[in-house]
Amino acid sequence: MAVFSPARFSLKLALVALALCLCIALSAHGVLAADNAPKDAGGKAEDSSKGSGDRDLTLNANGALSSTPDSSSSSSSNGNGNGNAISLSGASDSPGTSSDNKFGISLNSDSSSNGNGNSNSDSTPSKSTSGSKATTTSSGSSNGQPGRIVMKTPPQSVESPLFETASQVKLKWDYDNNMKSPPSQITIRGQMPSGYFQPGTTKPLYWYIAQNVSASPKAYTWDTITQSPPGYTLREGTGYKLYIYDSNIGWENSTHVYPGKLFQFMLPFSMYNSRYAQSNDGVPKNYNPNAGSRSASVAAGAWTAALAALVAAFAI
């Protein structure tokens, strides 16, 4: 007959309590993980879209934009009696639109009248010929303005692009509407940052990237290794400049205004050293940082400890 031992009974209770605590902690961990999971944004998007189609936006011929809460398609007239109006209705059940036209977009030419009650019968919009583009195209004149380069690569919106040292830099460009006599040959010239001077002088240090190359491709690939300043290596830093000009006009005259001909283009840029090859030093070849989850490993260890505690409690 087994003898009751208070110490053994207390040990069993402690092990069972430990297992229960681990189970409760794991359950709480699961609830917190579920609460921290990304919520489905579909409901919010659906709710936010409700009512968005209850307002009508109307753009009249003068460019005025008006908004009305009515869900039906409407067109408005301006004070001058112009009847051309674009009506945008967000409601899918707008009268006069088909079921396929969910947003109810309609173009009304003769559906509005002016304040005097006279409707407009002319549905053909007049074309303005006073634009500068139409004028230069028809007359062949640049209005005394020189032609200019519009960069495509790098984009014109990037004021000072970054070029990698020891790389191939691709340049692409186009011309604006004032360019009536495009260059047949161009020259690309570089300038080093301030602090670099021509030997024996205080003049800025220039070098030729390309001389008298064909301008018809409107593109050039610059090798920053072979086409660098003689005796210098392009280094990481700011303050570099790149010039493109008409070879027939020349460097000295490229900043003069010649109507319809290329005006000197200047692009400031910076150089940087790519350290991509060094970013993985010391990392195992097949290492995947996303392969394991820390929370999953912690949970697995806790479950193992709880199971071990229960087994130990019943084994005593």
Side-chain angles (χ1 to χ4, degrees), residues 7-23 305-316:
R8 182 179 297 178
F9 181 74
S10 299
L11 181 59
K12 287 186 177 182
L13 288 180
L15 291 174
V16 172
L18 176 61
L20 290 176
C21 290
L22 290 174
C23 292
L307 181 60
L310 288 175
V311 171
F314 286 102
I316 295 176

Side-chain angles (χ1 to χ4, degrees), residues 207-293:
W207 82 97
Y208 288 102
I209 298 175
Q211 283 184 282
N212 303 325
V213 296
S214 175
S216 57
K218 291 185 286 189
Y220 187 80
T221 300
W222 169 29
D223 189 336
T224 60
I225 298 179
T226 60
Q227 297 168 336
S228 59
Y232 293 88
T233 301
L234 297 178
R235 300 180 181 275
E236 188 176 45
T238 61
Y240 290 92
K241 294 179 181 179
L242 182 144
Y243 300 88
I244 303 177
Y245 59 93
D246 190 332
S247 299
N248 294 326
I249 295 178
W251 169 256
E252 298 295 336
N253 297 324
S254 60
T255 55
H256 296 174
V257 175
Y258 296 95
K261 293 186 178 182
L262 178 62
F263 189 82
Q264 182 189 99
F265 172 79
M266 189 273 290
L267 177 69
F269 66 94
S270 302
M271 303 291 292
Y272 75 96
N273 294 329
S274 176
R275 296 170 177 85
Y276 178 78
Q278 304 173 6
S279 61
N280 294 324
D281 288 350
V283 179
K285 182 177 181 181
N286 297 325
Y287 173 72
N288 182 5
N290 299 321
S293 173

Side-chain angles (χ1 to χ4, degrees), residues 14 30 66 99 108 168 222 229 231 251 300 310:
S66 61
S99 59
N108 303 325
Q168 304 283 327
W222 169 29
W251 169 256
L310 288 175

